[in-house]
Amino acid sequence: MGSPTWRLVSGFNSLNRTNVILQHLRMSKHTDAAEVLLERKGCAGVITLNRPKFLNALNLSMIRHIYPQLKNWEQDPETFLIIIKGTGGKAFCAGGDIRVISEAGKANQKIAQDFFREEYTLNNAIGSCRKPYVALIHGITMGGGVGLSVHGQFRVATEKSLFAMPETAIGLFPDVGGGYFLPRLRGKLGYFLALTGFRLKGRDVYAAGIATHFVDSEKLGMLEEDLLALKSPSKENIADVLDAYHAKSKIDQDKSFILEEHMDNINSWFSANTVEQIIENLQQDGSSFALEQLKIINKMSPTSLKITLRQLIEGSSKTLQEVFTMEYRLSQACMGGHDFYEGVRAVLIDKDQSPKWKPADLKEVTDEDLNNYFKSLGSNDLKF
């Protein structure tokens, strides 16, 4: 028999803070493993994303298990911190279960509304959580996985971390609060990451400001044990443990940030207020790095590029909750459009990597089109 595992048994179709039955189960090797494990260990509540075959991709059922338990732990005087991690070693969480959402959206099923509403509600709960929240972002961390980690107090990267927000390639936008945290990265780094989907690896995830700490992956188990062994820890006690492991990490210690030599240019190119101007800046520069980024941007959904730039510009002066309200509007507009389904088809289903965007040209994405993506949903707006 393994360690006691709290598994939520729920019979609700929308977020419900009450009437949640906690059933105490012991996981044995004969039991079908739950997609997410929720355990009380030492001083902490531990969330383990447990879909290794799917790179721990986040689905609606997992969100509906995590949210009420997070709220319970936040109120529990015996729980002093919350740790979230993924199984399998390859991914923390590679994103939301986009194929399922795409199929549901095409069939006009309510899941396309519920998924984004409940995902952003969970992301917001992480951002406002009164207990220290430690995300071990070991392995692939993209999209929905970023939403489960980046708004928490502590994010621990390893040499195997791989961060990206590649949504413009599938006709979407960097959601899960991307409109909040991306424009707050240094200079125009967040704008660059959002529009190009550029991948950051290992210590660069820390250097970019996405992770708060960097730990060699072989020490991750010991770090977790040391955190669990703390007695009634304060936020400062937890930070001290993380700082000590960070200070001792040796991998790539002297390596400079991969984008360091390009940062002045990135800040200049991506300070434009229109995607067309950014493209012109890259063309005028003409360096191999600029032309490489230009090639990448030209493959993205023109609609997604324009939505994303405006999302970040507007998000730079909004609160996190205001950003989620804005992003929920955008998500529902994308579900009613063409490019998301075409992007999922080209990248994830047929894998021909040749999406036929509509419109296919930036010039055809008008200000009126854009305004429609950002307009209020009235009584269907996401409210906190």
Side-chain angles (χ1 to χ4, degrees), residues 250-261:
K250 295 282 182 280
I251 296 171
D252 294 335
Q253 205 174 22
D254 303 317
K255 193 181 124 205
S256 63
F257 180 44
I258 191 169
L259 293 170
E260 200 60 62
E261 61 178 305

Side-chain angles (χ1 to χ4, degrees), residues 255-310:
K255 193 181 124 205
S256 63
F257 180 44
I258 191 169
L259 293 170
E260 200 60 62
E261 61 178 305
H262 303 296
M263 275 311 298
D264 287 345
N265 283 331
I266 285 170
N267 292 341
S268 169
W269 300 330
F270 288 84
S271 61
N273 284 326
T274 66
V275 178
E276 289 90 339
Q277 186 61 54
I278 290 170
I279 284 173
E280 197 175 311
N281 292 344
L282 292 167
Q283 281 168 334
Q284 282 181 345
D285 183 281
S287 66
S288 60
F289 183 75
L291 294 177
E292 195 184 326
Q293 306 321 309
L294 184 62
K295 198 171 151 190
I296 291 164
I297 285 176
N298 281 332
K299 288 180 180 167
M300 303 304 191
S301 156
T303 304
S304 288
L305 290 170
K306 286 204 171 181
I307 289 170
T308 297
L309 183 58
R310 179 160 159 186

Side-chain angles (χ1 to χ4, degrees), residues 5 31 43 55 58 84 114 143-145 167 186 216 220 226 229 232 234 257 259 263 276 315 341:
T5 299
T31 311
C43 65
L55 299 176
L58 186 66
I84 186 167
D114 293 346
E167 287 82 2
R186 61 177 162 134
D216 300 349
L220 219 44
D226 284 354
S232 310
S234 65
F257 180 44
L259 293 170
M263 275 311 298
E276 289 90 339
Y341 304 105

Side-chain angles (χ1 to χ4, degrees), residues 114-316:
D114 293 346
F115 179 86
F116 291 103
R117 182 179 289 276
E118 298 183 31
E119 181 183 28
Y120 299 171
T121 302
L122 172 58
N123 297 155
N124 180 65
I126 291 165
S128 61
C129 187
R130 292 195 297 276
K131 299 281 170 79
Y133 184 96
V134 181
L136 305 178
I137 52 173
H138 173 60
I140 300 165
T141 304
M142 295 185 186
V146 176
L148 290 177
S149 55
V150 78
H151 305 297
Q153 202 159 14
F154 302 108
R155 290 93 61 191
V156 182
T158 73
E159 75 280 3
K160 299 212 169 104
S161 295
L162 172 63
F163 165 94
M165 294 296 277
E167 287 82 2
T168 54
I170 57 161
L172 210 52
F173 60 95
D175 64 337
V176 296
Y180 183 82
F181 83 87
L182 287 165
R184 285 166 175 77
L185 297 178
R186 61 177 162 134
K188 293 292 176 178
L189 176 60
Y191 292 76
F192 169 74
L193 296 173
L195 293 168
T196 65
F198 188 89
R199 295 179 170 204
L200 294 172
K201 295 174 186 170
R203 202 177 275 269
D204 288 329
V205 179
Y206 166 75
I210 290 146
T212 57
H213 295 81
F214 181 88
V215 173
D216 300 349
S217 63
E218 63 180 39
K219 299 278 170 56
L220 219 44
M222 286 165 56
L223 167 64
E224 189 181 342
E225 281 172 30
D226 284 354
L227 287 172
L228 297 177
L230 292 170
K231 300 286 180 239
S232 310
S234 65
K235 181 178 73 179
E236 289 70 29
N237 299 146
I238 293 160
D240 287 346
V241 173
L242 294 169
D243 290 346
Y245 272 86
H246 177 85
K248 282 186 256 180
S249 76
K250 295 282 182 280
I251 296 171
D252 294 335
Q253 205 174 22
D254 303 317
K255 193 181 124 205
S256 63
F257 180 44
I258 191 169
L259 293 170
E260 200 60 62
E261 61 178 305
H262 303 296
M263 275 311 298
D264 287 345
N265 283 331
I266 285 170
N267 292 341
S268 169
W269 300 330
F270 288 84
S271 61
N273 284 326
T274 66
V275 178
E276 289 90 339
Q277 186 61 54
I278 290 170
I279 284 173
E280 197 175 311
N281 292 344
L282 292 167
Q283 281 168 334
Q284 282 181 345
D285 183 281
S287 66
S288 60
F289 183 75
L291 294 177
E292 195 184 326
Q293 306 321 309
L294 184 62
K295 198 171 151 190
I296 291 164
I297 285 176
N298 281 332
K299 288 180 180 167
M300 303 304 191
S301 156
T303 304
S304 288
L305 290 170
K306 286 204 171 181
I307 289 170
T308 297
L309 183 58
R310 179 160 159 186
Q311 171 205 4
L312 268 56
I313 291 169
E314 290 197 10
S316 66

